[in-house]
Amino acid sequence: MTDPITPLVRAVAAAEPRVENRDGAAVGTLQAYLVDKRSGQADFAVLSLGGFLGMGRSFYPVPFGLLDYDAVRDVYVVALDRKQLEGGPSWANTPPAFDAGYVARVASYYGLAKGSTAG
């Protein structure tokens, strides 16, 4: 049984920093953070991929521990390629309920222990 309380809240990024893979290829932008209501820590980053002028974008939650921030270039670097991201949990229009079941599904896809967000 999953926890009926939604443990995460979505916080939209004030600016949408770029996200690249380790080879420097553009992946998308960081659109939002999924923040644990109790700890106040960002557990997941929501990456926005694709689209044109805000249309046709898809959103992919990624455990925050899989991102590194490059302060010199002001970009996030993700240790995944675009194909891996596109195969993961996502949504296009309406975000899902960020309940314990969804958290476990995302963590499982990225090979993390149930409920873990560390990379």
Side-chain angles (χ1 to χ4, degrees):
M1 182 168 116
T2 60
D3 184 350
I5 305 294
T6 303
L8 301 173
V9 63
R10 186 168 151 247
V12 176
E16 291 189 9
R18 292 177 309 147
V19 178
E20 298 177 349
N21 65 20
R22 288 184 177 164
D23 297 327
V27 171
T29 59
L30 193 151
Q31 192 268 342
Y33 303 90
L34 297 180
V35 178
D36 183 283
K37 289 178 180 178
R38 291 188 176 102
S39 72
Q41 299 296 310
D43 285 350
F44 296 91
V46 177
L47 306 186
S48 172
L49 281 63
F52 180 71
L53 298 175
M55 302 290 288
R57 295 193 302 177
S58 293
F59 303 97
Y60 299 82
V62 175
F64 206 80
L66 297 180
L67 295 171
D68 289 315
Y69 180 66
D70 181 334
V72 173
R73 297 183 311 121
D74 192 29
V75 300
Y76 280 95
V77 179
V78 65
L80 304 164
D81 64 33
R82 189 177 181 104
K83 189 172 185 173
Q84 288 173 298
L85 290 169
E86 289 175 340
S90 67
W91 68 90
N93 297 316
T94 305
F98 301 115
D99 59 14
Y102 192 77
V103 169
R105 181 174 159 225
V106 174
S108 174
Y109 176 80
Y110 290 105
L112 303 175
K114 184 177 178 180
S116 171
T117 59

